[in-house]
């Protein structure tokens, strides 16, 4: 059963080394992400599942300890999903792509792993990852969410995903007047823990507005059915023209 959830955005810029000189601009967002993860820990889950968007290579399950890297963004930063980074990897001497044992984490899950590490996640709590493809139909997302909620008596989700990327003229997807209302509905649904509203998000519109979090949010909708959780919206802004949300769901 789902007993808690956190929603965080997944831009690599959350990692200060990637953001470089712009890192202070997102200090408030990072702080809210850490607080949302602390709230997850306070719920004392038996299992945490990190869900985020992924391209074809990163879709599917990722085991605890799976490795990820931000080297593709020009920085020597490696992560593992709820496990310490080996010393040789941290110094650039290891296999940062797969840690020698598994596929590399997609970027969204790598950001999630970085957040968990820096929020001080208790490594005694089992963690796994799930990369979700953007084209995954809403019905299937909801089914996946139900399956995840049934993994243990006390399941928590860390849902990684951005809102639209069309909020300003300089946004990655340029300005689209439909973006702000779409993000406003997502923010309202997260604040109210409204699983029905998340399940009803328009797949085609989300794709047109480059809302990379649509599928993970609909996984959350399925997992949260019947859980009667309360929502708290911690952050709702669009720096760089991309909608970012941080939210907590708890009993």
């Amino acid at each position: 059963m789902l007993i808690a959830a956190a929603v965080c955005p997944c831009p690599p810029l959350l990692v200060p080394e990637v953001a470089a000189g712009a890192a202070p601009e997102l200090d408030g967002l990072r702080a809210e992400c850490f607080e949302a993860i602390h709230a997850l820990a306070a719920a004392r889950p038996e299992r945490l599942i990190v869900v985020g968007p992924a391209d074809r290579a990163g879709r599917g399950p990722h085991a605890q300890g799976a490795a990820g890297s931000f080297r593709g963004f020009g920085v020597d930063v490696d992560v593992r999903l709820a496990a310490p980074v080996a010393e040789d990897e941290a110094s650039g001497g290891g296999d940062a792509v797969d840690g020698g044992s598994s596929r590399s984490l997609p970027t969204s899950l790598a950001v999630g792993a970085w957040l968990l590490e820096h929020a001080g996640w208790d490594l005694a709590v089992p963690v796994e990852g799930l990369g979700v493809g953007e084209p995954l139909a809403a019905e299937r997302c909801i089914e996946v969410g139900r399956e995840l909620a049934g993994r243990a008596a006390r399941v928590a989700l860390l849902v990684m995903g951005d809102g639209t990327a069309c909020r300003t003229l300089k946004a990655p997807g340029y300005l689209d007047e439909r973006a702000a209302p779409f993000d406003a509905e997502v923010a309202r649904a997260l604040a109210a823990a409204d699983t029905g509203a998340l399940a009803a998000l328009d797949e085609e519109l989300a794709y047109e507005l480059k809302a990379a979090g649509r599928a993970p949010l609909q996984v959350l909708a399925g997992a949260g059915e019947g859980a009667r959780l309360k929502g708290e919206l911690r952050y709702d802004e669009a720096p760089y023209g991309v909608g970012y949300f941080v939210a907590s769901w708890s009993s």
Side-chain angles (χ1 to χ4, degrees), residues 165-175 240-242:
C166 302
R167 293 281 294 274
T168 66
L169 292 173
K170 294 184 178 181
Y174 197 66
L175 177 64
Y240 318 120
V242 181

Side-chain angles (χ1 to χ4, degrees), residues 47-192:
R47 179 178 301 274
L48 174 67
I49 304 170
V50 186
V51 181
D55 59 17
R56 188 173 300 277
R59 294 173 192 169
H62 296 264
Q64 183 160 351
S69 174
F70 296 97
R71 294 173 187 249
F73 298 95
V75 297
D76 292 338
V77 176
D78 300 319
V79 293
R80 283 189 178 276
L81 186 60
V85 176
E87 184 175 348
D88 60 342
E89 290 181 5
S91 63
D95 185 348
V97 174
D98 62 12
S101 62
S102 65
R103 297 177 298 146
S104 178
L105 294 171
T107 299
S108 66
L109 299 190
V111 173
W114 185 91
L115 288 173
L116 288 172
E117 176 186 348
H118 289 79
W121 185 260
D122 182 358
L123 298 182
V125 179
V127 178
E128 60 188 273
L130 179 67
V132 180
E134 183 181 50
L136 194 65
E139 294 80 3
R140 180 55 184 149
C141 289
I142 292 165
E143 290 175 2
V144 169
R146 292 169 181 157
E147 293 167 4
L148 296 182
R151 293 280 182 87
R154 298 181 62 82
V155 172
L157 294 186
L158 173 55
V159 179
M160 309 298 298
D162 302 342
T164 67
C166 302
R167 293 281 294 274
T168 66
L169 292 173
K170 294 184 178 181
Y174 197 66
L175 177 64
D176 190 313
E177 293 181 355
R178 301 172 297 173
F182 183 97
D183 283 344
E185 174 60 8
V186 172
R188 188 205 64 76
L190 292 175

Side-chain angles (χ1 to χ4, degrees), residues 7-37 50 70 73 75 77 79 107-119 158-163 235 237 239-240 242-247:
V7 174
C8 294
C10 54
L13 290 174
L14 277 176
V15 178
E17 292 87 344
V18 175
E25 298 175 9
L26 297 181
D27 281 348
L29 174 56
R30 290 187 198 92
E32 292 297 344
C33 290
F34 294 150
E35 288 301 314
I37 291 172
V50 186
F70 296 97
F73 298 95
V75 297
V77 176
V79 293
T107 299
S108 66
L109 299 190
V111 173
W114 185 91
L115 288 173
L116 288 172
E117 176 186 348
H118 289 79
L158 173 55
V159 179
M160 309 298 298
D162 302 342
Y235 186 98
E237 305 222 5
Y240 318 120
V242 181
Y244 294 155
F245 314 101
V246 181

